[in-house]
Amino acid sequence: MSQISIVVPCFNESEVIESFHTALTGVLEPTGRDYEICYVDDGSSDHTRAHLQELASGDPRTRYTSFSRNFGKESAMLAGLRMSRGDAVVLMDADLQHPPALIPRILELHGHGYDQVVAQRDRSGDGLLRTRLSQAYYRLVRRFMEVEVVDGAGDFRLLSRRAVDALLSLPENNRFSKGLFSWIGFDTVTFPYENVQRAAGHSKWGGRRLLNYGIDGLLSFNSRPLRVAIHVGLWLFVSALLYALWIVGNVLVDGVETPGYATLVTVIVGMSGVQIATLGIIGEYVGRIYHETKRRPLYVIRETSESGGAGGRARTRSGSALAARTGRRTGEGRW
Ligand code: UDP
Ligand code: MG
Protein backbone atom coordinates (compact mmCIF):
# COMPACT_ATOMS: atom_id res chain seq x y z
CA MET A 1 0.00 0.00 0.00
CA SER A 2 1.15 3.52 -0.70
CA GLN A 3 3.17 5.39 1.85
CA ILE A 4 2.05 8.62 3.49
CA SER A 5 4.29 11.34 4.85
CA ILE A 6 3.34 13.71 7.61
CA VAL A 7 5.20 17.02 7.44
CA VAL A 8 5.33 19.08 10.63
CA PRO A 9 7.04 22.48 10.95
CA CYS A 10 8.00 23.16 14.57
CA PHE A 11 9.21 26.37 16.13
CA ASN A 12 9.67 26.36 19.91
CA GLU A 13 7.19 23.55 20.42
CA SER A 14 9.03 21.56 23.09
CA GLU A 15 6.00 21.72 25.40
CA VAL A 16 3.70 19.94 22.97
CA ILE A 17 5.91 17.99 20.61
CA GLU A 18 5.90 14.77 22.65
CA SER A 19 2.14 14.69 23.13
CA PHE A 20 1.68 15.63 19.49
CA HIS A 21 3.88 12.72 18.42
CA THR A 22 2.02 10.31 20.66
CA ALA A 23 -1.33 11.49 19.38
CA LEU A 24 -0.15 11.31 15.77
CA THR A 25 1.29 7.80 15.94
CA GLY A 26 -1.78 6.75 17.91
CA VAL A 27 -3.88 7.70 14.91
CA LEU A 28 -1.52 6.45 12.20
CA GLU A 29 -0.84 2.96 13.60
CA PRO A 30 -4.48 1.73 13.48
CA THR A 31 -4.81 2.80 9.84
CA GLY A 32 -2.32 0.06 8.98
CA ARG A 33 -0.70 2.34 6.41
CA ASP A 34 3.00 2.63 5.80
CA TYR A 35 3.94 6.10 7.07
CA GLU A 36 6.81 8.45 7.85
CA ILE A 37 6.87 11.61 9.91
CA CYS A 38 9.07 14.49 8.75
CA TYR A 39 9.67 17.12 11.40
CA VAL A 40 11.32 20.40 10.56
CA ASP A 41 12.78 22.33 13.45
CA ASP A 42 12.65 25.95 12.34
CA GLY A 43 15.62 27.12 14.42
CA SER A 44 13.89 26.71 17.77
CA SER A 45 15.60 28.22 20.78
CA ASP A 46 14.06 25.77 23.26
CA HIS A 47 14.53 21.99 23.45
CA THR A 48 12.52 21.13 20.34
CA ARG A 49 15.60 19.87 18.49
CA ALA A 50 16.63 17.57 21.32
CA HIS A 51 13.10 16.15 21.42
CA LEU A 52 13.16 15.55 17.69
CA GLN A 53 16.56 13.83 17.88
CA GLU A 54 15.18 11.54 20.52
CA LEU A 55 12.01 10.76 18.55
CA ALA A 56 14.03 10.09 15.40
CA SER A 57 16.49 7.80 17.14
CA GLY A 58 13.63 5.73 18.54
CA ASP A 59 11.90 5.07 15.23
CA PRO A 60 13.29 4.98 11.68
CA ARG A 61 9.96 6.23 10.38
CA THR A 62 10.50 9.52 12.19
CA ARG A 63 12.97 11.90 10.57
CA TYR A 64 13.84 15.50 11.16
CA THR A 65 15.67 18.44 9.66
CA SER A 66 16.86 21.29 11.78
CA PHE A 67 17.51 24.84 10.50
CA SER A 68 20.44 26.94 11.58
CA ARG A 69 18.07 29.73 12.64
CA ASN A 70 14.38 30.65 12.38
CA PHE A 71 13.54 30.93 8.68
CA GLY A 72 9.75 31.03 9.02
CA LYS A 73 6.97 28.52 8.57
CA GLU A 74 6.93 28.78 4.78
CA SER A 75 10.55 27.68 4.56
CA ALA A 76 9.97 24.95 7.11
CA MET A 77 7.07 23.55 5.11
CA LEU A 78 9.17 23.65 1.96
CA ALA A 79 11.98 21.75 3.64
CA GLY A 80 9.47 19.20 4.93
CA LEU A 81 7.99 18.68 1.48
CA ARG A 82 11.48 18.20 0.05
CA MET A 83 12.22 15.61 2.75
CA SER A 84 9.01 13.67 2.20
CA ARG A 85 9.08 10.47 0.17
CA GLY A 86 5.48 9.33 0.51
CA ASP A 87 2.90 9.04 -2.24
CA ALA A 88 0.75 11.50 -0.33
CA VAL A 89 1.85 14.19 2.11
CA VAL A 90 -0.15 15.63 5.01
CA LEU A 91 0.96 19.05 6.24
CA MET A 92 0.08 19.88 9.82
CA ASP A 93 1.00 22.07 12.80
CA ALA A 94 2.70 20.69 15.88
CA ASP A 95 0.48 22.44 18.41
CA LEU A 96 -2.46 19.99 18.11
CA GLN A 97 -4.59 22.72 16.51
CA HIS A 98 -4.72 20.43 13.52
CA PRO A 99 -6.27 17.38 15.17
CA PRO A 100 -4.50 14.15 14.15
CA ALA A 101 -7.88 12.44 14.59
CA LEU A 102 -8.93 13.94 11.26
CA ILE A 103 -6.21 12.09 9.33
CA PRO A 104 -8.27 8.94 8.62
CA ARG A 105 -11.00 11.12 7.10
CA ILE A 106 -8.42 12.97 5.02
CA LEU A 107 -6.94 9.70 3.78
CA GLU A 108 -10.39 8.41 2.94
CA LEU A 109 -11.13 11.46 0.81
CA HIS A 110 -7.74 11.11 -0.86
CA GLY A 111 -8.74 7.51 -1.63
CA HIS A 112 -11.64 8.90 -3.65
CA GLY A 113 -9.10 10.38 -6.03
CA TYR A 114 -8.60 13.93 -4.75
CA ASP A 115 -5.14 15.42 -5.12
CA GLN A 116 -5.67 18.00 -2.41
CA VAL A 117 -7.76 17.40 0.69
CA VAL A 118 -8.18 20.53 2.78
CA ALA A 119 -9.40 20.63 6.37
CA GLN A 120 -10.99 24.01 6.85
CA ARG A 121 -11.32 25.29 10.39
CA ASP A 122 -14.13 27.53 11.55
CA ARG A 123 -13.28 30.47 13.77
CA SER A 124 -14.90 29.36 17.02
CA GLY A 125 -12.90 30.52 20.02
CA ASP A 126 -10.91 33.12 18.08
CA GLY A 127 -10.96 36.73 19.26
CA LEU A 128 -13.65 38.89 17.66
CA LEU A 129 -11.19 41.47 16.38
CA ARG A 130 -8.93 38.87 14.79
CA THR A 131 -11.92 37.15 13.19
CA ARG A 132 -13.27 40.38 11.72
CA LEU A 133 -9.85 41.46 10.46
CA SER A 134 -9.24 38.07 8.84
CA GLN A 135 -12.63 38.11 7.16
CA ALA A 136 -12.00 41.59 5.79
CA TYR A 137 -8.58 40.48 4.60
CA TYR A 138 -9.93 37.47 2.75
CA ARG A 139 -12.58 39.62 1.07
CA LEU A 140 -9.82 41.94 -0.10
CA VAL A 141 -7.67 39.06 -1.26
CA ARG A 142 -10.52 37.53 -3.23
CA ARG A 143 -11.01 40.80 -5.07
CA PHE A 144 -7.40 41.36 -5.91
CA MET A 145 -5.87 37.96 -6.38
CA GLU A 146 -6.13 35.72 -9.37
CA VAL A 147 -6.12 32.64 -7.18
CA GLU A 148 -8.78 31.47 -4.77
CA VAL A 149 -7.82 31.72 -1.09
CA VAL A 150 -10.39 30.60 1.46
CA ASP A 151 -10.70 31.78 5.06
CA GLY A 152 -9.72 29.03 7.48
CA ALA A 153 -8.42 26.73 4.77
CA GLY A 154 -4.83 26.89 5.83
CA ASP A 155 -1.95 24.54 5.86
CA PHE A 156 -3.73 21.50 7.23
CA ARG A 157 -4.05 19.56 4.04
CA LEU A 158 -3.09 16.47 2.14
CA LEU A 159 -1.24 16.76 -1.14
CA SER A 160 -0.77 13.92 -3.59
CA ARG A 161 2.75 13.25 -4.83
CA ARG A 162 2.11 14.99 -8.12
CA ALA A 163 0.73 18.04 -6.30
CA VAL A 164 3.85 18.10 -4.10
CA ASP A 165 6.07 17.82 -7.17
CA ALA A 166 4.17 20.67 -8.79
CA LEU A 167 4.70 22.83 -5.68
CA LEU A 168 8.37 21.98 -5.50
CA SER A 169 8.84 22.86 -9.15
CA LEU A 170 7.80 26.48 -8.51
CA PRO A 171 11.02 28.44 -8.37
CA GLU A 172 10.04 31.60 -6.52
CA ASN A 173 11.63 32.65 -3.30
CA ASN A 174 8.69 34.64 -1.99
CA ARG A 175 6.49 31.76 -1.06
CA PHE A 176 2.92 32.39 -0.03
CA SER A 177 1.71 28.81 0.30
CA LYS A 178 -1.98 29.55 0.57
CA GLY A 179 -1.79 31.07 -2.90
CA LEU A 180 0.56 28.44 -4.30
CA PHE A 181 -1.68 25.55 -3.19
CA SER A 182 -4.49 27.11 -5.14
CA TRP A 183 -2.30 28.03 -8.10
CA ILE A 184 -1.19 24.44 -8.79
CA GLY A 185 -4.82 23.37 -9.18
CA PHE A 186 -5.77 19.64 -9.29
CA ASP A 187 -8.97 18.19 -7.83
CA THR A 188 -9.47 19.67 -4.39
CA VAL A 189 -11.98 18.81 -1.71
CA THR A 190 -12.58 20.82 1.45
CA PHE A 191 -14.26 19.72 4.65
CA PRO A 192 -14.87 21.78 7.80
CA TYR A 193 -13.78 21.06 11.35
CA GLU A 194 -14.21 22.88 14.61
CA ASN A 195 -11.37 25.16 15.60
CA VAL A 196 -9.18 23.87 18.43
CA GLN A 197 -7.11 26.03 20.77
CA ARG A 198 -3.39 25.49 21.09
CA ALA A 199 -2.50 22.62 23.45
CA ALA A 200 0.46 24.42 25.03
CA GLY A 201 3.01 27.10 24.27
CA HIS A 202 1.87 30.22 22.46
CA SER A 203 1.20 31.36 18.92
CA LYS A 204 4.12 32.79 17.00
CA TRP A 205 1.92 35.04 14.93
CA GLY A 206 1.60 38.40 16.62
CA GLY A 207 -0.28 41.27 15.00
CA ARG A 208 2.76 42.60 13.18
CA ARG A 209 3.80 39.24 11.77
CA LEU A 210 0.25 38.60 10.59
CA LEU A 211 0.09 42.00 8.92
CA ASN A 212 3.35 41.32 7.08
CA TYR A 213 2.10 37.89 6.08
CA GLY A 214 -1.07 39.52 4.74
CA ILE A 215 0.89 42.06 2.69
CA ASP A 216 3.09 39.25 1.32
CA GLY A 217 0.00 37.38 0.25
CA LEU A 218 -1.51 40.32 -1.56
CA LEU A 219 1.65 41.33 -3.33
CA SER A 220 3.09 37.97 -4.24
CA PHE A 221 0.32 36.94 -6.55
CA ASN A 222 -0.16 39.79 -8.96
CA SER A 223 0.69 43.34 -9.82
CA ARG A 224 -2.83 44.67 -9.39
CA PRO A 225 -1.97 46.85 -6.39
CA LEU A 226 0.31 48.78 -8.76
CA ARG A 227 -2.60 49.26 -11.12
CA VAL A 228 -4.78 50.50 -8.24
CA ALA A 229 -2.13 53.01 -7.27
CA ILE A 230 -2.04 54.31 -10.82
CA HIS A 231 -5.82 54.66 -10.95
CA VAL A 232 -6.04 56.45 -7.62
CA GLY A 233 -3.18 58.72 -8.61
CA LEU A 234 -4.84 59.63 -11.90
CA TRP A 235 -8.21 60.33 -10.34
CA LEU A 236 -6.68 62.53 -7.68
CA PHE A 237 -4.77 64.42 -10.33
CA VAL A 238 -7.95 65.00 -12.36
CA SER A 239 -9.93 66.14 -9.32
CA ALA A 240 -7.13 68.50 -8.27
CA LEU A 241 -7.20 69.94 -11.78
CA LEU A 242 -10.98 70.42 -11.68
CA TYR A 243 -10.71 72.04 -8.27
CA ALA A 244 -8.05 74.42 -9.56
CA LEU A 245 -10.23 75.33 -12.54
CA TRP A 246 -13.15 75.93 -10.22
CA ILE A 247 -11.13 78.31 -8.06
CA VAL A 248 -9.85 80.20 -11.09
CA GLY A 249 -13.40 80.35 -12.46
CA ASN A 250 -14.68 81.69 -9.14
CA VAL A 251 -12.07 84.41 -9.07
CA LEU A 252 -12.60 85.43 -12.71
CA VAL A 253 -16.39 85.31 -12.77
CA ASP A 254 -17.48 86.24 -9.24
CA GLY A 255 -14.34 87.89 -7.95
CA VAL A 256 -14.39 85.68 -4.82
CA GLU A 257 -11.29 86.01 -2.68
CA THR A 258 -9.94 82.59 -1.68
CA PRO A 259 -7.29 82.29 0.99
CA GLY A 260 -4.50 80.57 -0.90
CA TYR A 261 -2.82 78.52 1.78
CA ALA A 262 -5.80 76.34 2.76
CA THR A 263 -6.26 74.90 -0.69
CA LEU A 264 -2.52 74.63 -1.20
CA VAL A 265 -2.02 72.66 1.99
CA THR A 266 -4.87 70.30 1.08
CA VAL A 267 -3.53 69.66 -2.38
CA ILE A 268 0.06 69.18 -1.26
CA VAL A 269 -0.85 66.80 1.54
CA GLY A 270 -3.25 64.84 -0.67
CA MET A 271 -0.84 64.49 -3.51
CA SER A 272 2.15 63.56 -1.38
CA GLY A 273 0.02 60.88 0.25
CA VAL A 274 -0.69 59.36 -3.11
CA GLN A 275 2.91 59.63 -4.20
CA ILE A 276 4.27 58.01 -1.09
CA ALA A 277 1.75 55.17 -1.30
CA THR A 278 2.57 54.59 -4.95
CA LEU A 279 6.29 54.71 -4.27
CA GLY A 280 5.81 52.21 -1.46
CA ILE A 281 4.04 49.78 -3.72
CA ILE A 282 6.59 50.17 -6.49
CA GLY A 283 9.34 49.79 -3.93
CA GLU A 284 7.81 46.53 -2.73
CA TYR A 285 7.93 45.08 -6.21
CA VAL A 286 11.45 46.31 -6.83
CA GLY A 287 12.44 44.78 -3.51
CA ARG A 288 10.91 41.50 -4.55
CA ILE A 289 12.74 41.53 -7.89
CA TYR A 290 15.97 42.19 -6.02
CA HIS A 291 15.18 39.38 -3.63
CA GLU A 292 14.39 36.91 -6.40
CA THR A 293 17.50 37.75 -8.40
CA LYS A 294 19.74 36.93 -5.45
CA ARG A 295 18.58 33.31 -5.70
CA ARG A 296 19.42 32.65 -2.09
CA PRO A 297 18.34 29.33 -0.66
CA LEU A 298 15.29 29.64 1.56
CA TYR A 299 16.95 28.04 4.53
CA VAL A 300 20.21 26.64 5.84
CA ILE A 301 20.26 23.22 7.45
CA ARG A 302 22.08 22.68 10.72
CA GLU A 303 21.57 18.92 10.83
CA THR A 304 19.15 16.22 9.73
CA SER A 305 18.31 12.81 11.12
CA GLU A 306 20.15 11.44 8.07
CA SER A 307 23.36 13.38 8.64
CA GLY A 308 23.15 13.28 12.43
CA GLY A 309 23.06 9.49 12.24
CA ALA A 310 20.06 9.44 14.54
CA GLY A 311 17.57 7.89 12.16
CA GLY A 312 18.20 4.74 10.12
CA ARG A 313 17.67 4.32 6.38
CA ALA A 314 20.19 6.98 5.46
CA ARG A 315 21.24 5.11 2.38
CA THR A 316 17.96 4.69 0.60
CA ARG A 317 17.85 6.24 -2.82
CA SER A 318 15.84 9.30 -1.93
CA GLY A 319 17.78 9.59 1.31
CA SER A 320 21.03 10.13 -0.51
CA ALA A 321 19.27 12.42 -2.96
CA LEU A 322 18.18 14.47 0.03
CA ALA A 323 21.70 14.50 1.40
CA ALA A 324 23.00 15.70 -1.95
CA ARG A 325 20.36 18.37 -2.08
CA THR A 326 20.96 19.58 1.42
CA GLY A 327 24.68 19.57 0.78
CA ARG A 328 24.24 21.81 -2.20
CA ARG A 329 21.82 24.07 -0.39
CA THR A 330 24.07 24.61 2.59
CA GLY A 331 26.93 25.20 0.18
CA GLU A 332 24.92 27.90 -1.54
CA GLY A 333 24.09 29.42 1.81
CA ARG A 334 27.68 30.37 2.34
CA TRP A 335 27.71 32.76 -0.60
N1 UDP B 1 6.03 27.68 12.95
C1 UDP B 1 7.25 27.53 12.31
N2 UDP B 1 8.06 28.63 12.15
C2 UDP B 1 7.68 29.88 12.59
C3 UDP B 1 6.41 30.01 13.19
C4 UDP B 1 5.61 28.89 13.37
O1 UDP B 1 7.62 26.42 11.90
O2 UDP B 1 8.45 30.81 12.40
C5 UDP B 1 5.17 26.49 13.13
C6 UDP B 1 4.72 26.26 14.56
O3 UDP B 1 5.66 25.49 15.28
C7 UDP B 1 3.41 25.51 14.38
C8 UDP B 1 2.88 26.11 13.08
O4 UDP B 1 3.99 26.69 12.40
O5 UDP B 1 3.62 24.11 14.21
C9 UDP B 1 1.81 27.15 13.32
O6 UDP B 1 2.29 28.13 14.19
P1 UDP B 1 1.39 28.79 15.32
O7 UDP B 1 0.62 27.73 16.05
O8 UDP B 1 2.28 29.68 16.12
O9 UDP B 1 0.40 29.66 14.44
P2 UDP B 1 -1.18 29.87 14.64
O10 UDP B 1 -1.77 28.52 14.85
O11 UDP B 1 -1.31 30.75 15.81
O12 UDP B 1 -1.62 30.49 13.34
MG1 MG C 1 -1.26 27.15 16.15
Side-chain angles (χ1 to χ4, degrees):
M1 197 172 235
S2 58
Q3 189 193 35
I4 48 173
S5 306
I6 314 288
V7 165
V8 193
C10 319
F11 177 51
N12 291 348
E13 301 286 8
S14 63
E15 288 173 51
V16 281
I17 197 75
E18 304 263 325
S19 46
F20 169 79
H21 189 77
T22 316
L24 183 62
T25 46
V27 169
L28 288 173
E29 287 296 347
T31 62
R33 302 279 290 256
D34 180 19
Y35 70 85
E36 62 165 4
I37 307 174
C38 308
Y39 288 107
V40 181
D41 160 40
D42 186 8
S44 302
S45 52
D46 61 2
H47 302 296
T48 304
R49 185 154 51 96
H51 284 298
L52 293 183
Q53 275 167 352
E54 202 180 300
L55 291 174
S57 62
D59 183 355
R61 288 174 298 187
T62 304
R63 297 152 58 215
Y64 76 96
T65 291
S66 181
F67 288 175
S68 57
R69 65 167 170 86
N70 180 237
F71 282 90
K73 188 182 176 190
E74 293 285 346
S75 299
M77 288 198 296
L78 181 69
L81 288 176
R82 283 187 175 145
M83 261 172 99
S84 69
R85 306 163 182 163
D87 305 295
V89 179
V90 178
L91 279 167
M92 61 196 299
D93 288 358
D95 56 6
L96 289 168
Q97 279 191 298
H98 295 166
L102 294 177
I103 291 179
R105 171 125 177 78
I106 292 179
L107 292 177
E108 184 198 321
L109 285 167
H110 175 56
H112 292 316
Y114 290 103
D115 284 280
Q116 295 201 50
V117 182
V118 187
Q120 182 185 9
R121 75 184 176 101
D122 59 19
R123 289 202 168 270
S124 53
D126 264 11
L128 189 70
L129 182 67
R130 186 163 168 179
T131 310
R132 287 276 176 277
L133 281 177
S134 309
Q135 282 167 348
Y137 173 70
Y138 280 101
R139 266 202 300 279
L140 190 72
V141 162
R142 263 199 293 278
R143 266 186 90 117
F144 283 111
M145 256 157 79
E146 280 121 28
V147 292
E148 179 83 1
V149 177
V150 185
D151 182 18
D155 305 323
F156 188 17
R157 64 175 71 215
L158 174 143
L159 298 161
S160 66
R161 176 46 51 188
R162 59 180 179 173
V164 172
D165 288 343
L167 268 184
L168 293 182
S169 71
L170 302 179
E172 62 239 68
N173 264 333
N174 260 304
R175 298 188 83 88
F176 181 66
S177 288
K178 277 194 182 41
L180 296 181
F181 290 142
S182 158
W183 187 90
I184 57 170
F186 291 118
D187 291 346
T188 304
V189 63
T190 306
F191 72 91
Y193 72 95
E194 197 182 327
N195 191 20
V196 192
Q197 293 307 315
R198 209 168 221 289
H202 48 81
S203 173
K204 282 91 200 168
W205 300 86
R208 204 187 161 124
R209 204 163 177 172
L210 267 181
L211 183 65
N212 280 333
Y213 180 72
I215 294 175
D216 271 349
L218 267 180
L219 292 182
S220 64
F221 260 84
N222 59 43
S223 43
R224 248 184 256 178
L226 267 182
R227 192 63 59 79
V228 173
I230 294 170
H231 283 211
V232 172
L234 274 179
W235 278 115
L236 274 173
F237 179 70
V238 169
S239 41
L241 203 69
L242 290 177
Y243 183 56
L245 282 177
W246 182 69
I247 292 178
V248 171
N250 258 351
V251 172
L252 288 183
V253 180
D254 304 330
V256 177
E257 261 189 56
T258 336
Y261 68 92
T263 47
L264 256 182
V265 167
T266 322
V267 170
I268 291 175
V269 170
M271 292 308 277
S272 25
V274 176
Q275 284 178 4
I276 290 172
T278 315
L279 270 182
I281 294 174
I282 296 175
E284 267 293 327
Y285 284 107
V286 175
R288 265 150 215 263
I289 295 169
Y290 173 61
H291 202 68
E292 295 288 336
T293 49
K294 278 192 290 194
R295 289 258 143 259
R296 286 222 184 123
L298 284 160
Y299 51 85
V300 177
I301 290 176
R302 175 199 298 264
E303 64 180 44
T304 70
S305 44
E306 277 80 8
S307 65
R313 304 214 303 191
R315 257 173 286 283
T316 60
R317 197 179 55 82
S318 45
S320 48
L322 175 80
R325 262 205 307 269
T326 45
R328 201 183 67 228
R329 301 234 145 237
T330 25
E332 274 169 11
R334 267 184 284 139
W335 304 101

